Amino acid sequence: MNKVQITFLFLVLSTSLFAREGMWIPTLLDKYSIEEMQQMGFKLTAEDIYSINHNSLKDAVVIFGGGCTGEMVSDEGLLFTNYHCGYSNIQSHSSVENDYLTDGFWAMSKEEELPNPGLEVRFLEYMEDVTDSVMVNTEGLEGFDFQDKIDENIEAIETYHSDDDKYEAVVKPLYYGNQYFVYVYKVYTDVRLVGAPPSAIGKFGGDTDNWMWPRHTGDFSIFRVYADENNEPAEYSEDNVPYQPKKYLPISLNGVQEDDFVMLLGYPGTTQQYLPSEAVEMVMEQSDPDMIAIRTEKLNILSKHMEADPKVRIQYASKYASTSNAWKKWQGEIKGLKRMDALGIKADFESDFEKWYNQNDSLTTIYEGVLPEFERLYVALEDYDRAYNYYNEIVLRGTDIFSLVNYYSQVCKAWDGFTDERKVELRGRLVSEMKSHFKDYDQPTDEEVFVKLIRMLYDDLDPLFLSESFVDLMQKYDDEKLQKKVYQKSVFTDQEKLLNLTNSLDESKVKKLSKDPLMVLFDDLRGFAQRNINMVYSGLNDEIEILQKKYMKGIMDMKADELLYPDANFTMRIAYGKVEDYKPMDAVVYTHYTTLEGIIEKDNPDIYDYNVPQRLKDLYQSSDYGKYGQNGEMPVAFIASVHTTGGNSGSPAINANGELIGLNFDRCWEGTMSDILFDPDMCRNIMVDVRYVLFLIDKFAGAGYLLDEMEIRN
């Protein structure tokens, strides 16, 4: 075995060897991790992190929006999360006249805070193992009958724990369905924007620096949660008052040193540590490369138009960021998996798995068909995986206009079945969706994206995965005619006409819309994909999921004396490690922190993402860092060997004393394969230093009144 294989030893976490890998269930810390955490310097107990008997750290951490983490930092509902997590909300309040992206936004009083319709935060009330309840009356059932009973039991459990809709309950599987937990949340919907730095701070370095270290990004934004007079969730109202959390995090000004203990408490999204070799090969050789190619074309077009027009830059800022984030991550993932010889590691583990079950006849009977069946299923999936990704990236995600058409198409197809009252409601929703679309829509930009991606769909896929009508269309029209005859002739490009049609939508208007060239094309593409691709793709993945559950059970039995963490599934987890430097390549060693000096070194007024605000340059020149600097420097960001993934954005970085020292916001590019394989020598998470956050609030923005709410410790 090579060094990486010995260090990694596939997925098994031995506490004596790997202090840094894993995303652990908070309720099981006493069983698995707390002793090691304390050996590494952590001074609190498992009960201090998660408790249902008294307030604990879990009460200060929230799900922010649909895919990030946030933390409470005051007894008046003040919340920190990443800038990129609040980006779409900041962008939605921005215009050419009030460009909060470029200039930043700071509410100087609670009255100036901005509401964000649709934004929610979720507080975890409790989590509970419900495996036995999920499996009730499933004995002897197989296939769809088994899954139907599981679903029925899950629905009953969620209903029971929802408590007359006071709480939101969600049951999620762990270890691929070998265990189930229910998670019960209280959801607050009045969340207001309090502060955000300029994009040249909050997104400093843009796509160039994204996923990279050294990093100099002030990736934070500030919101406030509001509640009714009883501190309960309530829709937005001027009568609402700041939420009083059960727990908020004290903030440390002591900073970090190399080898300091760091813990993250948050909501990591998805990892796939237990995939078989065939799955990893498909990711490396097909899925990631296909999606990278599609997004590269889209990003090139968006970038061109954004650079040419400030209005387009604002309109497409959030869209560009969301498109490019995974695009760059996938590139690092491929590189990391190849560097680690991921397929070799997986093959070695599978060989060990075979040796294990062959030692016992009863185990052989259960598991001998698992690995050959994986091979059969992934061979069958290969072509459908490519087609699925192409349709998903191009038809469902690729263009603005198709996103709007999709919304209308769903309504029109079911129009005859709606009541008159429901039709009135849907007209209003369509108008709202339409206005939101046109606010951030530039027709020349989207036209070019549309033509490029539709042509890719036609050119790159096997004709077996294209409808005859689509093939006829693409053979009949070149790109220029496709633009004129399909895109520009559509009513979906004309806001005034579409508004009038929507306000008077009836059966005749629905028929008219159904003949619109863009809707005809969209319905043809989506319909063909649903009938001829998605059903087969989903069916094969259902078979793989059932097999993966069996494989996972085998792994758990084989490693019964060792610790195995469940894959992330956007539920609360603990991860921990130490502040460490790393060596990504020969003759290159990165230290564990960056400073404001590095920002000034990168300053470039000609590049939007590197155009350092003059106020920040002035503070640097005067070294006016106040109590936030250290040894004449202004710390900006630091790294640690904590296992993170998407969803951990905004997670609080907590020191050994349970104090906030930073906000997690990224991973180092060389370690992005950690969703599939973790390399302790290379995987580093990136955090903005909380001292830089406070410095920007106080010295840069002049919003120091916010610090008066916080518990700041020297």
Side-chain angles (χ1 to χ4, degrees), residues 572-614:
M572 181 175 281
R573 301 292 179 88
I574 299 290
Y576 57 94
K578 289 197 172 187
V579 175
E580 297 186 59
D581 58 16
Y582 79 113
K583 181 181 178 181
M585 62 190 75
D586 184 49
V588 176
V589 178
Y590 288 138
T591 57
H592 66 274
Y593 74 101
T594 58
T595 68
L596 181 56
E597 183 177 358
I599 294 177
I600 301 304
E601 290 173 348
K602 292 181 177 180
D603 180 31
N604 188 336
D606 295 328
I607 302 176
Y608 182 79
D609 292 323
Y610 291 97
N611 186 10
V612 179
Q614 186 60 47

Side-chain angles (χ1 to χ4, degrees), residues 655-691:
N655 67 12
N657 300 313
E659 301 163 331
L660 183 68
I661 54 174
L663 279 68
N664 185 79
F665 70 91
D666 209 351
R667 283 175 284 170
C668 297
W669 190 65
E670 295 85 359
T672 51
M673 73 287 157
S674 61
D675 288 347
I676 296 174
L677 290 178
F678 186 87
D679 178 359
D681 291 332
M682 202 66 69
C683 293
R684 297 291 183 270
N685 65 304
I686 306 175
M687 295 150 283
V688 57
D689 195 308
V690 76
R691 293 172 295 176

Side-chain angles (χ1 to χ4, degrees), residues 226-243:
Y226 280 78
D228 66 15
E229 59 183 4
N230 298 314
N231 209 39
E232 294 294 329
E235 294 299 317
Y236 171 80
S237 169
E238 293 183 0
D239 296 329
N240 287 346
V241 295
Y243 168 70

Side-chain angles (χ1 to χ4, degrees), residues 106 108 201 220 596 614-620 622-629 634 691-707:
W106 304 96
M108 292 303 170
I201 291 176
F220 78 96
L596 181 56
Q614 186 60 47
R615 173 63 179 157
L616 189 57
K617 290 191 280 190
D618 292 342
L619 290 168
Y620 171 76
S622 64
S623 298
D624 185 10
Y625 305 146
K627 59 185 177 181
Y628 314 111
M634 184 63 245
R691 293 172 295 176
Y692 186 51
V693 172
L694 299 182
F695 163 75
L696 290 169
I697 295 171
D698 187 3
K699 295 288 187 175
F700 177 84
Y705 80 96
L706 292 171
L707 276 60

